[in-house]
Amino acid sequence: MYDAIVIGARCAGSPTAMLLARQGYRVLLLEKAQFPRDKLSSHYIHQPGVALLGRWGILDDLVEAGCPGINRESYRGPDVRLDGFSLAVDGYRTTYAPRRFVLDPILARAAVAAGVEFRESCTVTGLVFENDRVVGVRYRTPAGAEATDRARLVVGADGMRSLVAREVGARNVIEDPRMTCTYYSYWSGVPAHFELFDRPGRWVAAVPTNDDLTLIMTYFPQREYAGVRTAVEPAYLEAVRTTAPELYERMSAGTREEQLYGTGHQENFFREAHGPGWVLVGDAVHHKDSITARGITDAFEQAQSLVEYIGDGLHDEAALRVALKRYESGLNAGFLNLYKGVLNVAELRPEGRTEMLRHLVGHQELIDRYFSTVSGACSFDDFYNAELLAVLDQV
């Protein structure tokens, strides 16, 4: 009998398991893959996520794994260019964009070091119910045997297509249509910092990652997915050429080192977050378009908040019920504005946004605060302050 079973050992699951174990709970962590294993990802960890890695004592491991630090951001939209960087969070300003086959094993090892029992190559096949309460999980071991384990709480950190959400019938409480499709690859010989390029109907990002490679991502409207997927490489190269010609020149002198990866299945939703014996975290509870690279950072923040709310109350039914309700309320309060901001960018219609951004040129503090609204280091309410309004009124 475990205190908690966490399903999924990536950016939401491993930190949740680790933090629960640090609270003294007995935790089982199940993962269907065998690490190291890559996955689709936008890679980038914003300042709040880096701050949590530092707080958890994991950041040094990421740096030692050869992930380069990032200290500069550029945005280029129609007739505007901004250069700056998000404000620091808890003293952490440098950011990172690690490969997932580097980051995810680091997180899992931290969970094991905290006392978590970690089992890889285990496919969860269902949940165990008693009187409408989740009391355990059924899964298939690497040897193909069927196993069942029980727990006081089952945590679904199993992604956008969460089996836990499906089994408990967690409905979407907020839902929006798919906005974009994305394709990306990794390039050598293409120097970059954190660069974003924006024009109507297209978005391109370049960011340094492990092994001296640069991740270059392209985004297209969802309505173009059927066409793009049948001719990915020419669509990818043309998107960079027409949206980021300076980057395209650098790419022409570099080498694409891997295949093109991508997806057109980026759902936008908030799900019901909890019920008797279960709770969802990370992409399982809240998924959005990857265009602003919020997924990893949001998963870290949700893991931290969930375990803080639970505290030492996991075995107190009334206290646990209150904690999970507070966790769900915190999701809505803490992530809804960011979610709306992501959808705004994912519309791929920058005209209204860039009109305001042109007014920031020459005001470095406001530029950095704007970048901070995307990172989560500054709220939208704090950004739209008297200083910004005074600048806009002067035009």
Side-chain angles (χ1 to χ4, degrees):
M1 180 70 178
Y2 294 92
D3 295 311
I5 298 175
V6 181
I7 302 173
R10 295 192 183 265
C11 291
S14 283
T16 301
M18 175 193 71
L19 294 169
L20 286 169
R22 289 180 179 180
Q23 287 281 99
Y25 295 117
R26 186 180 182 215
V27 183
L28 173 63
L29 177 61
L30 299 174
E31 168 57 45
K32 65 181 179 181
Q34 183 172 3
F35 289 167
R37 179 76 174 269
D38 208 5
K39 75 180 299 295
L40 291 176
S41 178
S42 53
H43 296 68
Y44 192 70
I45 308 175
H46 292 278
Q47 281 80 0
V50 175
L52 284 173
L53 289 176
R55 176 177 174 181
W56 298 338
I58 301 176
L59 183 57
D60 288 346
D61 295 333
L62 183 62
V63 174
E64 290 170 4
C67 190
I70 301 167
N71 293 285
R72 178 187 168 202
E73 179 175 355
S74 298
Y75 169 86
R76 298 176 188 121
D79 300 319
V80 63
R81 171 170 177 158
L82 302 179
D83 289 278
F85 210 46
S86 168
L87 302 173
V89 173
D90 296 338
Y92 294 92
R93 199 174 191 190
T94 298
T95 58
Y96 303 87
R99 294 293 297 262
R100 294 298 297 275
F101 59 74
V102 173
L103 175 63
D104 294 345
I106 288 172
L107 298 174
R109 286 196 296 269
V112 171
V116 172
E117 185 177 337
F118 178 39
R119 300 180 190 169
E120 300 174 86
S121 302
C122 290
T123 301
V124 175
T125 57
L127 303 181
V128 180
F129 291 84
E130 287 184 1
N131 299 323
D132 296 326
R133 179 186 179 88
V134 175
V135 296
V137 302
R138 298 189 306 274
Y139 60 96
R140 189 164 50 251
T141 71
E146 297 294 327
T148 300
D149 280 303
R150 298 169 67 89
R152 178 68 181 164
L153 181 67
V154 171
V155 181
D158 49 343
M160 182 180 72
R161 298 178 178 87
S162 169
L163 177 142
V164 176
R166 188 166 62 250
E167 288 270 304
V168 300
R171 63 184 181 88
N172 288 354
V173 294
I174 296 174
E175 186 173 10
D176 288 277
R178 298 172 185 171
M179 306 290 284
T180 75
C181 59
T182 181
Y183 285 91
Y184 65 89
S185 192
Y186 305 91
W187 294 72
S188 62
V190 184
H193 45 285
F194 182 29
E195 303 176 58
L196 306 172
F197 304 86
D198 194 6
R199 73 173 177 88
R202 295 292 183 270
W203 176 275
V204 174
V207 59
T209 186
N210 295 87
D211 302 319
D212 295 321
L213 298 179
T214 295
L215 165 71
I216 299 177
M217 304 188 75
T218 57
Y219 285 81
F220 308 83
Q222 174 66 210
R223 65 179 179 274
E224 297 183 21
Y225 178 49
V228 170
R229 67 185 300 189
T230 62
V232 172
E233 184 169 12
Y236 173 82
L237 292 173
E238 181 66 7
V240 179
R241 187 188 70 80
T242 56
T243 309
E246 178 187 327
L247 175 62
Y248 185 78
E249 288 185 13
R250 281 179 272 159
M251 289 170 61
S252 299
T255 303
R256 178 159 65 88
E257 299 292 347
E258 298 187 27
Q259 69 181 63
L260 283 157
Y261 307 94
T263 181
H265 301 281
Q266 301 196 98
E267 310 297 338
N268 300 296
F269 62 78
F270 285 75
R271 282 190 178 119
E272 290 178 307
H274 70 94
W278 63 271
V279 65
L280 303 177
V281 67
D283 286 349
V285 70
H286 166 43
H287 192 275
K288 61 276 175 195
D289 198 287
S290 66
I291 197 165
T292 60
R294 289 292 320 176
I296 297 174
T297 300
D298 288 358
F300 289 175
E301 293 188 315
Q302 290 165 20
Q304 181 68 46
S305 68
L306 172 62
V307 178
E308 285 181 348
Y309 283 129
I310 291 174
D312 60 1
L314 185 56
H315 292 281
D316 182 326
E317 180 64 28
L320 179 60
R321 186 164 54 247
V322 170
L324 298 183
K325 286 182 179 179
R326 292 177 64 194
Y327 163 69
E328 184 166 45
S329 296
L331 289 176
N332 295 332
F335 294 96
L336 186 56
N337 282 339
L338 285 168
Y339 173 78
K340 292 177 179 178
V342 170
L343 296 189
N344 178 266
V345 175
E347 289 180 349
L348 299 178
R349 293 186 295 187
E351 298 86 349
R353 180 172 60 256
T354 53
E355 176 66 25
M356 183 271 290
L357 295 181
R358 291 187 197 105
H359 300 155
L360 303 187
V361 175
H363 300 274
Q364 191 60 51
E365 182 178 349
L366 289 177
I367 292 172
D368 291 345
R369 289 174 68 84
Y370 170 72
F371 286 142
S372 300
T373 64
V374 180
S375 76
C378 174
S379 70
F380 289 98
D381 289 340
D382 288 338
F383 173 64
Y384 286 97
N385 59 12
E387 182 182 0
L388 174 62
L389 295 177
V391 169
L392 297 179
D393 287 342
Q394 292 173 7
V395 179

